[in-house]
Amino acid sequence: MTKNITTILAAALLGGSSLCAAAQNPDAKFDSWPAYDGTDLEMTVGPEGTRFTLWSPEAQAARVFIYPTDRNTAAIDTLEMHRGDRGTWRAGVAEPLYGKFYTFSIKHNGKWLAETPGVWAKAVGTNGQRAAIIDFDATDPDGWAEDRGPVLDHITDAVLYEMHHRDFSIHPSSGIVHKGKFLALTEPGTTNDYGQATGIDHLKELGVTHVHILPSYDYNSVDEANLPANQYNWGYDPYNYNAPEGSYSTDPADPAARITEMKQMVKALHDAGIGVVMDVVYNHTANNDDSNFSLTAPGYYYRHRPDGTYSDASGCGNETASDRQQMSDYIVNSVKYWADEYHIDGFRFDLMAIHDTETMNRVAAELKKINPSIFVYGEGWTAGDSPLAPERRALKENVSKMEGIAVFSDDIRDAVKGHYSNAADRGFATGKPGNEETVKIGIVAATAHPQVDYSKGNNSKFPYATSPEMIINYVSCHDDLMLTDKLAHSMPEADEAARQRAARLAQTIVFTSQGTPFMWTGEEIFRNKKGVHNSYKSPDSINAIDWNLKHANADQFNYYRELIALRKAHPAFRMTSAEDIAKNLVFDDTKDTPNLLSYSIKNNANGDSAKEIKVIFNGADEAREVKVPKGDWTVVAEDGTIKAEGLSKAQGGKMTVAPVSALILMR
Ligand code: CA
């Protein structure tokens, strides 16, 4: 979901005027609704019985239906709810109803609305239609009480690997038994046809610190009752925010299975030293009037236009209203729940700028209380205009108003490889001049630097980050053409080897830049998606990773692995303050040479063992001569090869940087 209109929004922001100062506000009435911050929404169960608490201030009546199974059965009991405090409705029975299912229905404007599992269902059956009453303690895998994710002092120490459960394991070459399931990531020892590691062993070999899993809450599109149909979806169509997706479990009809199996996945990754970041999509729901939000508190959770229609900053038909107390609390409590119950180590917020900065600050602060290693980042843009004033939006340009929140850098993304939606456009790493200053913005993580001229930035005109911990660097993700396909489109004359070389340079820029590096699954073995830029519901033939490419593109994999090792071995690439970057990172004067950038990181920056690291990028299709100070240098990257521990020695002086490559030296 990255329709990036930051430029438009930035203009509105800098102009200081709201894009849509409404003459009237159809949502004004919601401000007077009482919020309910109790922890007992919507069902609690224990020896003392089963209690239901639904927040629905405007309902005229409310009911709970109790069912024996997850679908296709009649209710065995109906409980009339009575008004409670602060907009709630309550009902209860003396028995713990373990094994049963339930739904709510409210009377609104004289009509009973369709049944809903509510907005706080933590366990659900097939297609999430009925909420389930289960014993959560029984869902914990062995050793869960001792389970811990990796300890992280700074987000900049993370190496993020974005992946989709099905892409990662569904291809026959994965050698994985539980293809397309949470359990795929619990299987050690899996290999491709050439005996090379796949699955979780591959992640360990690659060296990434965190997987960022595409939406894994219960989403709407894939029919869990018909899994043999092999439907595919990224999952940006939220249905139940607080229960895992059923199609990733071995039995969607068993509410405990999806919970236990997701926990097993988290534990297996944690045991491998890898953290788990969840992609969360609180900015919109799959349905409008039929969403669980609409069926419990009609209107409240969404923003509307002056004519009463749904506003649509998500581009998906609606947008939620984090600026309203109960929705803000909902987002905060939902991520807290995932962190507590599932030991999630980080959260990636889809279209984060639909949310207000105050809510995002609460999210980060509350998560840090649970686990100081948890981090939060998101898309600092919207996909359309919103009634929320631009200065309140969690925009990229507002990241410095937030604490503990990072945003994706579209600056480095587009400058390195070319424009994200213009397939033919090239960037710095593919020979197009004019992007040098924007790449420099990426290198310094959008912080203020005396040698970076923001007036020449393509996407940003001011240093919007006050710390490198506010920036996620990337050139490719699930959205738009992945790097492999982008290179095929923009370099039609180049052969596969030349495109792989460009990919190496592009990722070397990302992984040596200040901020936090992020990559998309399978790029390390140069997989592609057959040129499909929006593969959100494309079949496996487009999205699945063919793991035999690890054999065909072994050199590419080795390059990525060494590149990650280089970053992890050198804290100089991971400075934690803007002041340190301004002081220690010094650019050489290359302004007269297009597609050439050169800089040093000096002073054993951030405790690095190297006194000085020299980094030179040549995005031109011809060799460049550069002057490196005389000294005893260790070459770690040269001419499309890289080795963290060093390739060779050099004495400096006049050196050649091969076409489309990085030269990195240390002393
Ligand atoms: Ca689902």
Side-chain angles (χ1 to χ4, degrees):
M1 299 287 158
T2 57
K3 282 172 202 150
N4 185 348
I5 59 162
T6 46
T7 314
I8 303 165
L9 296 174
L13 187 72
L14 296 170
S17 65
S18 169
L19 284 174
C20 41
Q24 52 183 339
N25 181 359
D27 293 342
K29 70 169 181 176
F30 298 128
D31 293 338
S32 64
W33 286 24
Y36 181 80
D37 60 0
T39 55
D40 55 350
L41 293 172
E42 287 162 344
M43 188 279 297
T44 60
V45 61
E48 71 287 355
T50 310
R51 303 273 175 267
F52 298 94
T53 306
L54 184 69
W55 187 79
S56 185
E58 209 178 48
Q60 293 156 324
R63 288 175 180 156
V64 184
F65 298 98
I66 307 295
Y67 291 97
T69 66
D70 72 328
R71 61 196 161 126
N72 302 332
T73 46
I76 51 174
D77 201 0
T78 302
L79 311 177
E80 297 295 335
M81 305 187 85
H82 57 271
R83 278 191 193 275
D85 60 329
R86 291 171 283 166
T88 59
W89 293 79
R90 295 182 189 273
V93 295
E95 310 83 52
L97 298 175
Y98 290 119
K100 301 292 190 289
F101 293 78
Y102 65 91
T103 62
F104 298 100
S105 177
I106 67 159
K107 194 175 187 183
H108 177 73
N109 288 342
K111 268 177 43 185
W112 285 98
L113 301 188
E115 290 174 50
T116 166
V119 300
W120 264 108
K122 294 168 182 162
V124 294
T126 307
N127 285 328
Q129 288 168 345
R130 293 177 182 172
I133 302 169
I134 66 164
D135 175 6
F136 260 85
D137 290 343
T139 65
D140 293 347
D142 289 345
W144 189 243
E146 290 74 46
D147 175 72
R148 298 285 182 278
V151 173
L152 202 72
D153 290 332
H154 300 279
I155 182 176
T156 42
D157 294 338
V159 175
L160 303 170
Y161 184 89
E162 185 190 36
M163 56 164 284
H164 184 278
H165 297 290
R166 196 171 171 97
D167 295 12
F168 194 72
S169 55
I170 201 72
H171 197 277
S173 63
S174 73
I176 288 169
V177 175
H178 295 98
K179 291 182 174 64
K181 306 294 181 187
F182 292 127
L183 292 180
L185 284 165
T186 68
E187 295 180 33
T190 60
T191 61
N192 64 9
D193 295 349
Y194 300 90
Q196 295 168 306
T198 63
I200 192 168
D201 287 357
H202 171 82
L203 296 174
K204 285 159 76 172
E205 190 183 2
L206 183 59
V208 295
T209 66
H210 290 71
V211 293
H212 153 154
I213 48 176
L214 258 63
S216 300
Y217 52 74
D218 179 31
Y219 58 77
N220 193 56
S221 49
V222 170
D223 183 3
E224 299 174 11
N226 189 17
L227 294 185
N230 287 318
Q231 294 161 305
Y232 181 96
N233 207 283
W234 282 344
Y236 293 90
D237 52 335
Y239 187 55
N240 288 297
Y241 282 104
N242 300 298
E245 161 62 14
S247 65
Y248 298 143
S249 85
T250 56
D251 184 3
D254 174 0
R258 62 180 76 189
I259 297 166
T260 297
E261 290 169 10
M262 186 165 172
K263 288 179 177 176
Q264 287 177 304
M265 175 197 79
V266 172
K267 180 153 194 316
L269 286 161
H270 284 174
D271 288 348
I274 298 170
V276 180
V277 176
M278 247 182 95
D279 193 339
V280 289
V281 189
Y282 298 105
N283 66 75
H284 75 277
T285 52
N287 300 317
N288 291 351
D289 295 346
D290 298 329
S291 75
N292 295 325
F293 283 147
S294 293
L295 293 175
T296 55
Y300 177 87
Y301 291 102
Y302 299 98
R303 298 188 187 123
H304 300 85
R305 301 188 182 102
D307 66 0
T309 58
Y310 287 91
S311 59
D312 188 19
S314 71
C316 297
N318 61 68
E319 67 178 277
T320 57
S322 66
D323 47 326
R324 255 162 253 158
Q325 190 65 47
Q326 193 74 10
M327 184 64 203
S328 181
D329 290 350
Y330 183 78
I331 294 172
V332 171
N333 289 330
S334 182
V335 291
K336 281 172 68 179
Y337 173 69
W338 285 103
D340 265 332
E341 185 67 34
Y342 291 86
H343 302 179
I344 297 299
D345 304 284
F347 295 89
R348 176 267 189 196
F349 273 72
D350 188 65
L351 298 178
M352 185 170 70
I354 291 178
H355 307 315
D356 58 295
T357 54
E358 298 92 330
T359 295
M360 292 313 303
N361 277 328
R362 288 181 64 205
V363 162
E366 290 296 320
L367 288 171
K368 288 282 180 197
K369 287 182 200 166
I370 294 170
N371 174 0
S373 293
I374 296 180
F375 52 85
V376 179
Y377 55 96
E379 294 181 309
W381 48 72
T382 68
D385 195 15
S386 169
L388 186 69
E391 61 270 21
R392 292 188 66 190
R393 298 177 194 170
L395 284 166
K396 182 183 94 167
E397 292 81 357
N398 288 334
V399 70
S400 296
K401 294 182 185 173
M402 296 184 277
E403 174 122 18
I405 303 286
V407 292
F408 286 101
S409 169
D410 58 346
D411 306 273
I412 198 167
R413 180 194 71 194
D414 292 356
V416 167
K417 69 168 182 179
H419 191 265
Y420 71 100
S421 68
N422 177 357
D425 188 42
R426 292 192 180 197
F428 175 90
T430 44
K432 182 182 174 185
N435 295 294
E436 294 80 4
E437 208 67 21
T438 309
V439 174
K440 286 168 66 181
I441 291 173
I443 290 168
V444 302
T447 58
H449 189 283
Q451 294 175 286
V452 179
D453 181 356
Y454 279 83
S455 73
K456 293 180 185 159
N458 294 343
N459 296 14
S460 305
K461 296 296 182 190
F462 70 104
Y464 53 90
T466 50
S467 160
E469 299 193 81
M470 296 178 176
I471 296 297
I472 306 293
N473 290 313
Y474 72 125
V475 286
S476 188
C477 66
H478 69 277
D479 269 320
D480 311 318
L481 288 175
M482 67 176 293
L483 184 59
T484 312
D485 287 325
K486 171 69 173 171
L487 296 171
H489 270 80
S490 60
M491 307 173 72
E493 79 293 349
D495 61 14
E496 175 103 346
R499 294 200 296 267
Q500 289 194 11
R501 196 176 172 90
R504 293 177 195 186
L505 173 59
Q507 296 287 15
T508 306
I509 297 172
V510 168
F511 278 77
T512 52
S513 287
Q514 304 299 318
T516 305
F518 170 106
M519 64 177 290
W520 170 236
T521 178
E523 268 163 0
E524 71 277 21
I525 56 172
F526 213 61
R527 71 120 161 183
N528 64 66
K529 292 197 288 180
K530 299 187 168 73
V532 177
H533 72 96
N534 187 11
S535 65
Y536 77 101
K537 59 176 184 179
S538 299
D540 295 336
S541 59
I542 301 296
N543 283 306
I545 298 174
D546 176 355
W547 287 99
N548 289 333
L549 288 170
K550 190 172 178 179
H551 174 76
N553 299 321
D555 289 346
Q556 197 75 353
F557 174 74
N558 289 334
Y559 190 97
Y560 276 69
R561 192 190 58 202
E562 287 296 322
L563 178 60
I564 291 168
L566 176 70
R567 181 178 177 89
K568 288 164 82 172
H570 288 280
F573 297 125
R574 301 180 265 124
M575 285 184 267
T576 58
S577 79
E579 294 71 25
D580 279 356
I581 296 171
K583 187 179 71 182
N584 298 321
L585 196 155
V586 181
F587 288 98
D588 300 311
D589 182 3
T590 53
K591 66 178 183 303
D592 294 331
T593 315
N595 294 91
L596 184 72
L597 284 173
S598 174
Y599 65 92
S600 283
I601 309 177
K602 299 183 175 180
N603 312 321
N604 301 93
N606 201 24
D608 206 289
S609 57
K611 183 162 177 278
E612 180 177 4
I613 302 177
K614 176 69 76 183
V615 183
I616 308 168
F617 302 127
N618 178 14
D621 206 14
E622 57 188 37
R624 303 281 200 208
E625 295 252 295
V626 293
K627 274 194 193 136
V628 174
K630 296 269 188 202
D632 292 324
W633 294 93
T634 298
V635 179
V636 296
E638 184 177 33
D639 194 14
T641 61
I642 191 167
K643 198 164 198 326
E645 291 177 357
L647 290 162
S648 60
K649 298 290 180 188
Q651 298 306 310
K654 201 177 275 186
M655 295 188 72
T656 300
V657 192
V660 194
S661 73
L663 175 63
I664 303 176
L665 313 102
M666 301 193 177
R667 63 171 173 176

